[in-house]
DNA sequence: GTGTACGCCTAACAGTGTTAGTGTCAACCC
DNA sequence: GGGTTGACACTAACACTGTTAGGCGTACAC
């Protein structure tokens, strides 16, 4: 009863994950079911479990696939703030390119993210400031990506139209401005702490 | 066959939503099913549809319930930045109190949020700066709440332990510092634009 | 006492993730 | 070439999910 394998490309973990991301990109997270995914690959749902432990592993695979798009090519800016602004702008771009995967962000601790934290520390931050700045920037970018890709029903009739119109736009420029603002503020606070001892007053 | 209604409190929309939030708070979003919810109320699933159109309406009700906790009591700070910092710190606190509802944030445009935007404009911002600042702060707070309540598996062994330990803490103080940093940066940019014309130098 | 409307019920449909057991094909060993 | 083995995909089923249709019992109005 088994159909001939020759008819179609062999099912592999890679093909499963790639197809899954394609479905999610095109039709959203809810459209991704094991039966639908299998059907797209010309196979029954149960067969997928030979290549993948469960649906969670498929979702993890999707996250990995998206993350692999984060690589930047040289040349890199000399200034460390410019560099981080560039990195996070890229992060935002990739998230927006796969809007429906944003709610999957943070399924695992992000190795690349963890690389960046020691880097920030090397700029002379205190540990606490470095962690706070890092968490703030990451939170902002993910939050901004989430907000910008959510198509909110247009209940905002009570806003002046000039405002309402602008509230529907989520320019990348804002990502750059805000990331820079956060980093500069924490950097300034750090250097102030070295100069004067703020003990209360 | 119908059981006597006298045995239990009557099922109402309010009781449904309240119980739903209790389930979500205690056991997470996935634990909330119509059958489970009905069972908690001593009723069958189908009966809920007499009081509620569908599950989405229950979720909307949850969002409304959480939002009702956002009210602040006077006295309010005089400085507008202090005021906004207070508001968003409170916003963060409420979100963290109901961690599993964070992914529901943004189901509808937030009336309260929309109130705040004209308020920011009244501080002398340009329209574009006001919108950018507003979107940035909201995005940051929601993102920060989302990150801080996600229990990420401890893959971070490769981080220095002092760092790893601090990365697990998400202090409210950071919310206040970052919100203030963003607002001050955009405010400064606005007032600069009034003084000097930055045309590229 | 009768009529009516409401509130809840059972039963069912179409869909979900997942597992057990079975079959079939392809490649390897001798 | 014949037999064995193992990988792969199949069917069938289980326990769930949200949702709808239709019926029954209770409580209230007149």
């Amino acid at each position: 009863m088994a159909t001939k394998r020759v008819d179609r490309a062999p099912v592999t973990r890679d093909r499963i994950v790639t197809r899954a991301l394609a479905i999610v990109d095109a039709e959203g997270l809810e459209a991704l079911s094991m039966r639908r995914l299998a059907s797209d690959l010309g196979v029954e749902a149960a067969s997928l479990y030979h290549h993948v432990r469960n649906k969670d592993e498929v979702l993890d695979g999707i996250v990995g696939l998206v993350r692999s798009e984060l690589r930047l090519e040289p040349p890199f800016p000399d200034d460390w703030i410019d560099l981080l602004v560039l990195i996070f702008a890229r992060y935002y771009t990739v998230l927006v390119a796969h809007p429906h995967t944003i709610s999957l962000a943070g399924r695992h601790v992000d190795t690349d993210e963890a690389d960046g934290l020691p880097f920030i520390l090397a700029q002379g931050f205190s540990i606490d400031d470095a962690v706070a700045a890092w968490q703030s920037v990451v939170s902002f970018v993910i939050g901004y990506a989430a907000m910008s890709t959510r198509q909110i029903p247009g209940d905002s009739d009570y806003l002046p139209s000039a405002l309402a119109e602008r509230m529907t736009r989520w320019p990348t420029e804002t990502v750059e401005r805000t990331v820079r603002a956060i980093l500069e503020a924490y950097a300034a606070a750090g250097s102030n702490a070295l100069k004067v001892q703020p003990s209360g007053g």
Side-chain angles (χ1 to χ4, degrees), chain A:
Chain A
M1 283 302 170
T3 51
K4 301 207 189 124
R5 277 174 239 167
V6 206
D7 294 5
R8 62 164 177 278
V11 176
T12 63
R13 218 198 88 106
D14 276 3
R15 287 195 65 224
I16 290 176
V17 171
T18 304
R19 191 76 202 105
L21 177 57
I23 293 176
V24 169
D25 278 345
E27 303 172 45
L29 255 184
E30 322 82 19
L32 180 67
S33 76
M34 296 301 269
R35 284 177 174 81
R36 161 66 195 283
L37 179 53
S39 156
D40 272 26
L41 295 168
V43 135
E44 294 301 315
S47 306
L48 299 180
Y49 290 84
H50 279 270
H51 307 274
V52 142
R53 211 157 1 143
N54 47 31
K55 191 182 182 180
D56 264 17
E57 197 169 305
V58 177
L59 297 178
D60 285 343
I62 289 180
V63 172
L65 212 55
V66 170
R67 191 170 299 160
S68 69
E69 296 181 19
L70 280 178
R71 301 265 151 253
L72 285 173
E73 300 110 35
F76 303 124
D78 289 335
D79 180 64
W80 67 275
I81 290 189
D82 289 343
L83 176 59
L84 285 177
V85 167
L86 186 73
I87 289 174
F88 281 100
R90 169 60 170 258
Y91 189 19
Y92 171 70
T93 305
V94 171
L95 286 179
V96 167
H98 304 282
H100 300 108
T101 70
I102 296 180
S103 58
L104 301 178
R107 279 181 80 82
H108 284 319
V109 104
D110 202 322
T111 317
D112 297 334
E113 284 178 17
D115 284 348
L117 185 50
F119 170 74
I120 254 194
L121 257 179
Q123 310 305 325
F125 278 66
S126 74
I127 291 187
D128 283 333
D129 279 3
V131 169
W134 187 255
Q135 291 178 331
S136 294
V137 171
V138 172
S139 299
F140 160 68
V141 172
I142 292 179
Y144 192 83
M147 300 287 288
S148 71
T149 58
R150 231 192 283 268
Q151 49 279 44
I152 300 177
D155 283 10
S156 43
D157 301 340
Y158 44 85
L159 276 181
S161 64
L163 269 182
E165 193 272 332
R166 278 184 177 79
M167 280 292 280
T168 64
R169 300 199 315 237
W170 297 78
T172 307
E173 190 204 349
T174 298
V175 176
E176 295 162 355
R177 282 180 73 184
T178 301
V179 168
R180 184 178 303 275
I182 295 173
L183 292 176
E184 284 178 351
Y186 277 89
S191 57
N192 283 345
L194 291 182
K195 291 171 194 161
V196 297
Q197 201 70 270
S199 60

